[in-house]
Amino acid sequence: MPVAASAIYFLNLRGDVLINRTYRDDVGGNMVDAFRTHIMQTKELGNCPVRQIGGCSFVYMRISNVYIVIVVSSNANVACGFKFVVEAVALFKSYFGGAFDEDAIRNNFVLIYELLDEIMDFGYPQNLSPEILKLYITQEGVRSPFSSKPKDKPVPNATLQVTGAVGWRREGLSYKKNEVFLDIVESVNLLMSSKGNVLRCDVTGKVLMKCFLSGMPDLKLGLNDKLGLEKESEMKSRPAKSGKTIELDDVTFHQCVNLTRFNSEKTVSFVPPDGEFELMKYRITEGVNLPFRVLPTIKELGRTRMEVNVKVKSVFGAKMFALGVVVKIPVPKQTAKTNFQVTTGRAKYNPSIDCLVWKIRKFPGQTESTLSAEIELISTMGEKKSWTRPPIQMEFQVPMFTASGLRVRFLKVWEKSGYNTVEWVRYITKAGSYEIRC
């Protein structure tokens, strides 16, 4: 649920109230005294930014020489509260010329009260965009004499933006060449046993976009996710096409995405910000296509010798390739000498991290490479401790491959002027925590 703030206080370092605003009547006016007595005077401000006193929660943050305290009486979203404070401070700075401190608050009481009424309604955060608020709160703040920040230019067409349609994009943009770049970037997290069994595996991904489009375009993105394909077949009254569908978990969208249309049509529709932004994030836990399989064999021959054999096989398509492949094979701390044989790339012993580091600049698909190493250990007089065998770690980047199997089915751009656009789509899979037990 949202933050649902009952009141917000601005205090100086002595605990004096500079300004406050009460949004609900479920807390008393003396709650700030409880904060001052139980937290500020006991010098526990740095321990935890969230405290509970007398049935109320205090969410507070120090900015310069000012404490901003939000009082809530219910089980509120603390992360939302901190985000509200950060964005509110950025809004105040845009009015005060970049400064936010005790003097700036004292010089701008009237403006701050007006802004507090606009950015929070009955304890729920509202629009905190400086570009939009400056369209109808035109009063200028008293700027610090040390601030050299130029005044922000007003955004045209106030009526369109105040309605909340496209607060993240200004009108009047024009490009000679209209282009859209879309990247699907995924990170594979894996824990595999020494026999090749997957113990834990998931993929975290994000859709990054860079738009250079004129006017106010409306974009529609279709993916091969399960919900989207099922909804499309339902709307067209025909069975869904055969093929792999992806079930996305924990999806979060940029604020530009039309959530109402997504809930009804299961397509991602949006008016994009200008330039680069993150459209969505997601996670996948089932049906992951691993780009590599690693089969290690480590033999301890007595007290002073070891043999290491590691086979790495690429599972992705033969026409693809991986870049910057690094395999880190742990060895005991008492390693004295190493001898290598690799079928591809280069290997060396790095004593600072106690690992054999095997680097392959380009790894083609459907191939395998092998590392064989003989390791000599320093003989110790004391009792030998058993080696814990940390997991092997991998780093890689595979262009035009997604471990989840996610694909872009279509990317449509519509603008009333009807100009032509060029769309570029790219897929990249990287290693997150890619570990194989020895």
Side-chain angles (χ1 to χ4, degrees), residues 209-224:
M209 296 196 69
K210 187 182 292 186
C211 295
F212 303 105
L213 299 173
S214 305
M216 283 288 179
D218 190 6
L219 275 67
K220 184 178 289 187
L221 173 65
L223 304 170
N224 63 331

PDB file of all heavy atoms in Angstrom, residues 209-224:
ATOM      1  N   MET A 209      15.401   1.073 -23.518  1.00  0.00           N
ATOM      2  CA  MET A 209      15.035   1.719 -24.767  1.00  0.00           C
ATOM      3  C   MET A 209      15.739   3.062 -24.915  1.00  0.00           C
ATOM      4  O   MET A 209      16.057   3.722 -23.920  1.00  0.00           O
ATOM      5  CB  MET A 209      13.522   1.920 -24.862  1.00  0.00           C
ATOM      6  CG  MET A 209      12.721   0.632 -24.909  1.00  0.00           C
ATOM      7  SD  MET A 209      11.028   0.873 -25.473  1.00  0.00           S
ATOM      8  CE  MET A 209      11.287   1.302 -27.180  1.00  0.00           C
ATOM      9  N   LYS A 210      15.971   3.427 -26.152  1.00  0.00           N
ATOM     10  CA  LYS A 210      16.504   4.738 -26.490  1.00  0.00           C
ATOM     11  C   LYS A 210      15.698   5.242 -27.681  1.00  0.00           C
ATOM     12  O   LYS A 210      15.724   4.645 -28.755  1.00  0.00           O
ATOM     13  CB  LYS A 210      17.992   4.652 -26.825  1.00  0.00           C
ATOM     14  CG  LYS A 210      18.658   6.013 -27.019  1.00  0.00           C
ATOM     15  CD  LYS A 210      20.117   5.863 -27.405  1.00  0.00           C
ATOM     16  CE  LYS A 210      20.939   5.301 -26.261  1.00  0.00           C
ATOM     17  NZ  LYS A 210      22.383   5.280 -26.597  1.00  0.00           N
ATOM     18  N   CYS A 211      14.939   6.311 -27.457  1.00  0.00           N
ATOM     19  CA  CYS A 211      14.007   6.804 -28.467  1.00  0.00           C
ATOM     20  C   CYS A 211      14.427   8.181 -28.968  1.00  0.00           C
ATOM     21  O   CYS A 211      14.702   9.088 -28.171  1.00  0.00           O
ATOM     22  CB  CYS A 211      12.592   6.884 -27.890  1.00  0.00           C
ATOM     23  SG  CYS A 211      11.894   5.288 -27.437  1.00  0.00           S
ATOM     24  N   PHE A 212      14.468   8.307 -30.267  1.00  0.00           N
ATOM     25  CA  PHE A 212      14.681   9.591 -30.923  1.00  0.00           C
ATOM     26  C   PHE A 212      13.525   9.773 -31.908  1.00  0.00           C
ATOM     27  O   PHE A 212      13.668   9.536 -33.112  1.00  0.00           O
ATOM     28  CB  PHE A 212      16.030   9.626 -31.627  1.00  0.00           C
ATOM     29  CG  PHE A 212      17.197   9.357 -30.717  1.00  0.00           C
ATOM     30  CD1 PHE A 212      17.856   8.139 -30.751  1.00  0.00           C
ATOM     31  CD2 PHE A 212      17.618  10.306 -29.805  1.00  0.00           C
ATOM     32  CE1 PHE A 212      18.926   7.885 -29.912  1.00  0.00           C
ATOM     33  CE2 PHE A 212      18.686  10.058 -28.955  1.00  0.00           C
ATOM     34  CZ  PHE A 212      19.341   8.844 -29.008  1.00  0.00           C
ATOM     35  N   LEU A 213      12.368  10.163 -31.371  1.00  0.00           N
ATOM     36  CA  LEU A 213      11.147  10.249 -32.149  1.00  0.00           C
ATOM     37  C   LEU A 213      10.565  11.648 -32.066  1.00  0.00           C
ATOM     38  O   LEU A 213      10.593  12.286 -31.009  1.00  0.00           O
ATOM     39  CB  LEU A 213      10.114   9.231 -31.628  1.00  0.00           C
ATOM     40  CG  LEU A 213      10.517   7.755 -31.694  1.00  0.00           C
ATOM     41  CD1 LEU A 213       9.487   6.893 -30.985  1.00  0.00           C
ATOM     42  CD2 LEU A 213      10.684   7.312 -33.135  1.00  0.00           C
ATOM     43  N   SER A 214      10.011  12.103 -33.161  1.00  0.00           N
ATOM     44  CA  SER A 214       9.401  13.428 -33.218  1.00  0.00           C
ATOM     45  C   SER A 214       7.973  13.372 -32.682  1.00  0.00           C
ATOM     46  O   SER A 214       7.313  12.326 -32.706  1.00  0.00           O
ATOM     47  CB  SER A 214       9.389  13.941 -34.659  1.00  0.00           C
ATOM     48  OG  SER A 214      10.690  13.936 -35.220  1.00  0.00           O
ATOM     49  N   GLY A 215       7.499  14.520 -32.225  1.00  0.00           N
ATOM     50  CA  GLY A 215       6.116  14.638 -31.799  1.00  0.00           C
ATOM     51  C   GLY A 215       5.791  13.860 -30.542  1.00  0.00           C
ATOM     52  O   GLY A 215       6.612  13.708 -29.643  1.00  0.00           O
ATOM     53  N   MET A 216       4.543  13.358 -30.495  1.00  0.00           N
ATOM     54  CA  MET A 216       4.039  12.575 -29.364  1.00  0.00           C
ATOM     55  C   MET A 216       3.662  11.174 -29.841  1.00  0.00           C
ATOM     56  O   MET A 216       2.488  10.869 -30.062  1.00  0.00           O
ATOM     57  CB  MET A 216       2.816  13.265 -28.733  1.00  0.00           C
ATOM     58  CG  MET A 216       3.163  14.434 -27.862  1.00  0.00           C
ATOM     59  SD  MET A 216       3.921  13.889 -26.317  1.00  0.00           S
ATOM     60  CE  MET A 216       4.229  15.474 -25.540  1.00  0.00           C
ATOM     61  N   PRO A 217       4.622  10.294 -30.050  1.00  0.00           N
ATOM     62  CA  PRO A 217       4.314   8.967 -30.604  1.00  0.00           C
ATOM     63  C   PRO A 217       3.699   8.042 -29.557  1.00  0.00           C
ATOM     64  O   PRO A 217       3.933   8.185 -28.365  1.00  0.00           O
ATOM     65  CB  PRO A 217       5.682   8.452 -31.042  1.00  0.00           C
ATOM     66  CG  PRO A 217       6.633   9.104 -30.091  1.00  0.00           C
ATOM     67  CD  PRO A 217       6.053  10.466 -29.795  1.00  0.00           C
ATOM     68  N   ASP A 218       2.924   7.098 -30.044  1.00  0.00           N
ATOM     69  CA  ASP A 218       2.341   6.057 -29.200  1.00  0.00           C
ATOM     70  C   ASP A 218       2.946   4.726 -29.628  1.00  0.00           C
ATOM     71  O   ASP A 218       2.802   4.323 -30.785  1.00  0.00           O
ATOM     72  CB  ASP A 218       0.822   6.029 -29.363  1.00  0.00           C
ATOM     73  CG  ASP A 218       0.156   5.127 -28.329  1.00  0.00           C
ATOM     74  OD1 ASP A 218       0.875   4.626 -27.441  1.00  0.00           O
ATOM     75  OD2 ASP A 218      -1.068   4.921 -28.420  1.00  0.00           O
ATOM     76  N   LEU A 219       3.648   4.056 -28.734  1.00  0.00           N
ATOM     77  CA  LEU A 219       4.332   2.806 -29.053  1.00  0.00           C
ATOM     78  C   LEU A 219       3.590   1.627 -28.445  1.00  0.00           C
ATOM     79  O   LEU A 219       2.993   1.736 -27.364  1.00  0.00           O
ATOM     80  CB  LEU A 219       5.779   2.822 -28.547  1.00  0.00           C
ATOM     81  CG  LEU A 219       6.832   3.464 -29.449  1.00  0.00           C
ATOM     82  CD1 LEU A 219       6.600   4.954 -29.573  1.00  0.00           C
ATOM     83  CD2 LEU A 219       8.231   3.200 -28.922  1.00  0.00           C
ATOM     84  N   LYS A 220       3.649   0.506 -29.138  1.00  0.00           N
ATOM     85  CA  LYS A 220       3.043  -0.721 -28.646  1.00  0.00           C
ATOM     86  C   LYS A 220       4.059  -1.853 -28.827  1.00  0.00           C
ATOM     87  O   LYS A 220       4.560  -2.084 -29.924  1.00  0.00           O
ATOM     88  CB  LYS A 220       1.755  -1.031 -29.395  1.00  0.00           C
ATOM     89  CG  LYS A 220       1.006  -2.253 -28.867  1.00  0.00           C
ATOM     90  CD  LYS A 220      -0.285  -2.498 -29.612  1.00  0.00           C
ATOM     91  CE  LYS A 220      -1.322  -1.454 -29.271  1.00  0.00           C
ATOM     92  NZ  LYS A 220      -2.643  -1.790 -29.875  1.00  0.00           N
ATOM     93  N   LEU A 221       4.370  -2.523 -27.717  1.00  0.00           N
ATOM     94  CA  LEU A 221       5.368  -3.590 -27.710  1.00  0.00           C
ATOM     95  C   LEU A 221       4.697  -4.914 -27.406  1.00  0.00           C
ATOM     96  O   LEU A 221       3.958  -5.041 -26.426  1.00  0.00           O
ATOM     97  CB  LEU A 221       6.448  -3.293 -26.663  1.00  0.00           C
ATOM     98  CG  LEU A 221       7.491  -4.388 -26.397  1.00  0.00           C
ATOM     99  CD1 LEU A 221       8.351  -4.630 -27.626  1.00  0.00           C
ATOM    100  CD2 LEU A 221       8.360  -4.017 -25.194  1.00  0.00           C
ATOM    101  N   GLY A 222       4.961  -5.926 -28.255  1.00  0.00           N
ATOM    102  CA  GLY A 222       4.433  -7.264 -28.037  1.00  0.00           C
ATOM    103  C   GLY A 222       5.554  -8.258 -27.814  1.00  0.00           C
ATOM    104  O   GLY A 222       6.514  -8.306 -28.581  1.00  0.00           O
ATOM    105  N   LEU A 223       5.446  -9.040 -26.747  1.00  0.00           N
ATOM    106  CA  LEU A 223       6.445 -10.051 -26.408  1.00  0.00           C
ATOM    107  C   LEU A 223       5.806 -11.429 -26.474  1.00  0.00           C
ATOM    108  O   LEU A 223       4.574 -11.561 -26.510  1.00  0.00           O
ATOM    109  CB  LEU A 223       7.008  -9.794 -25.005  1.00  0.00           C
ATOM    110  CG  LEU A 223       7.619  -8.418 -24.751  1.00  0.00           C
ATOM    111  CD1 LEU A 223       7.902  -8.225 -23.268  1.00  0.00           C
ATOM    112  CD2 LEU A 223       8.897  -8.237 -25.554  1.00  0.00           C
ATOM    113  N   ASN A 224       6.634 -12.458 -26.487  1.00  0.00           N
ATOM    114  CA  ASN A 224       6.098 -13.823 -26.512  1.00  0.00           C
ATOM    115  C   ASN A 224       5.847 -14.344 -25.106  1.00  0.00           C
ATOM    116  O   ASN A 224       6.115 -15.503 -24.795  1.00  0.00           O
ATOM    117  CB  ASN A 224       7.051 -14.762 -27.262  1.00  0.00           C
ATOM    118  CG  ASN A 224       8.410 -14.871 -26.579  1.00  0.00           C
ATOM    119  OD1 ASN A 224       8.853 -13.935 -25.911  1.00  0.00           O
ATOM    120  ND2 ASN A 224       9.071 -16.004 -26.740  1.00  0.00           N
TER     121      ASN A 224
END
